[in-house]
């Protein structure tokens, strides 16, 4: 059985996207990418919403081609651009000529729960989703998220998109840790329906 792990960065006042899409008030320290790499190393499939997929692919493709990139970031870029990806979207289509076409499938939102359930029943690494509350909020509400990892940054956004906007959901804290050398607090929760 595979797990669906969601990892999201949020401000202390619960915004995962700040006003105008800006979240620069938060500390994006080395520990942030160290955390992301640790999750990517355990992943078999990356799960995305349409906006985050295109942004993430573009960013890490550029990192992969930049000779000044450090070893850690090159490994992140290799994983992001080579792992299987599932994009949950009603508007995205796979461009067969795109460099990501061979490893990427698109599933419509209404079909996503069944497809994720099918993937979780198989073998392989975690299904991993970074950010994209509009994608993971419904999946958590439907009982499909196994672990929710919340990185709380030392900053107040003041406004912006809230971390969670679904129905009440019980969680069970697995651990809390300040990431080494950072101001980021990592909270890991069991998000399975029986956790609350």
């Amino acid at each position: 059985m595979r797990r669906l792990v969601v990892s999201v960065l949020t401000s202390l006042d619960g915004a995962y996207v700040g006003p105008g899409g800006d979240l620069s008030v938060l500390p994006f320290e080395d520990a942030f990418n160290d955390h992301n790499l640790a999750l990517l190393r355990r992943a078999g499939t990356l799960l995305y919403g349409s906006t985050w997929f295109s942004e993430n692919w573009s960013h890490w493709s550029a990192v992969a081609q930049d000779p000044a990139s450090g070893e850690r970031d090159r490994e992140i870029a290799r994983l992001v651009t080579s792992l299987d990806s599932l994009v949950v979207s009603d508007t995205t289509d796979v461009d067969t000529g795109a460099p990501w076409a061979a490893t990427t499938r698109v599933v419509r939102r209404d079909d996503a729960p069944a497809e994720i359930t099918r993937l979780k029943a198989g073998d392989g690494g975690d299904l991993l989703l970074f950010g994209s509350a509009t994608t993971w909020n419904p999946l958590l509400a439907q009982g499909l998220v196994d672990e929710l990892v919340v990185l709380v940054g030392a900053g107040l956004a003041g406004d912006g998109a809230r971390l969670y906007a679904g129905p009440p959901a019980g969680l069970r804290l697995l651990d809390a840790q300040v990431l080494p050398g950072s101001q980021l607090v990592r909270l890991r929760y069991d998000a399975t329906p029986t956790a609350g």
Side-chain angles (χ1 to χ4, degrees), residues 12-28:
L12 185 59
D13 54 345
Y16 80 97
V17 176
D22 181 21
L23 205 54
S24 60
V25 68
L26 296 186
F28 286 90

Side-chain angles (χ1 to χ4, degrees), residues 37 40-41 46 74-83:
L37 176 56
L40 283 163
R41 285 175 172 163
L46 300 179
R74 281 197 306 273
E75 183 177 356
I76 291 173
R78 180 184 60 77
L79 290 167
V80 166
T81 57
S82 65
L83 287 170

